[in-house]
Amino acid sequence: MLPVAQKALLIDEDGRVLVLKSTDPDGYGNHWDFPGGRMEEGESPLETLDREIQEEVGMKIDVNAAKLFHVGWYKGFGDRAQENVYKTFWIVPVSNVSATLSWEHQQFFWFQIADLPDDFVGPYRAIVDRYQKSIS
């Protein structure tokens, strides 16, 4: 099966985006991430998005409010770091800002786009920058 993942920019009522700090179970390094993950066989993209957000941050989303934002090929993580993954990014408005993290992440933060940490770099930073331009 083609490696396809669904990722969410969860945006709260104050315009903040949820970012996660990964755990480092296999020595691949901690990194910033957005909630989401790989599609399972038989799932639709929005079913994957809903399942992954529930698994990773314990939130239920309104999939009908999700808006397709960006798609592209990105490197995987961990034991799949050399693999290219086709990632679809969605903008998802949320009103509940409490999160319960899975084992995959050690911390979560709600940031205003302009206040993202200096080490939030790489391809995901470009996605956030693109989002910021789309709302200004």
Side-chain angles (χ1 to χ4, degrees):
M1 186 167 147
L2 181 68
V4 177
Q6 307 300 316
K7 292 288 191 174
L9 277 73
L10 298 177
I11 309 294
D12 75 1
E13 294 170 340
D14 295 323
R16 299 178 302 170
V17 63
L18 178 68
V19 294
L20 309 173
K21 192 71 159 184
S22 72
T23 57
D24 186 23
D26 300 314
Y28 293 104
N30 298 321
H31 68 282
W32 292 105
D33 198 4
F34 295 118
R38 290 182 185 238
M39 291 180 71
E40 294 180 357
E41 191 168 335
E43 281 185 324
S44 73
L46 289 175
E47 287 170 338
T48 300
L49 192 68
D50 187 40
R51 175 184 53 77
E52 284 287 343
I53 290 171
Q54 287 183 55
E55 288 176 4
E56 291 189 358
V57 296
M59 294 174 142
K60 182 72 176 145
I61 62 165
D62 177 1
V63 294
N64 295 316
K67 292 185 176 34
L68 181 62
F69 178 67
H70 176 76
V71 296
W73 288 99
Y74 295 87
K75 288 291 183 193
F77 174 72
D79 61 347
R80 296 180 172 168
Q82 300 307 312
E83 183 177 51
N84 286 319
V85 179
Y86 191 73
K87 294 184 181 181
T88 303
F89 293 85
W90 301 83
I91 303 299
V92 183
V94 295
S95 55
N96 175 13
V97 296
S98 63
T100 304
L101 295 178
S102 72
W103 64 269
E104 297 172 280
H105 300 97
Q106 60 179 315
Q107 293 176 300
F108 74 94
F109 300 94
W110 288 96
F111 287 112
Q112 291 293 337
I113 301 295
D115 298 331
L116 286 169
D118 291 339
D119 65 340
F120 192 90
V121 296
Y124 284 5
R125 181 60 189 229
I127 290 167
V128 170
D129 291 344
R130 182 175 291 131
Y131 171 70
Q132 185 175 26
K133 287 178 187 172
S134 77
I135 61 171
S136 41

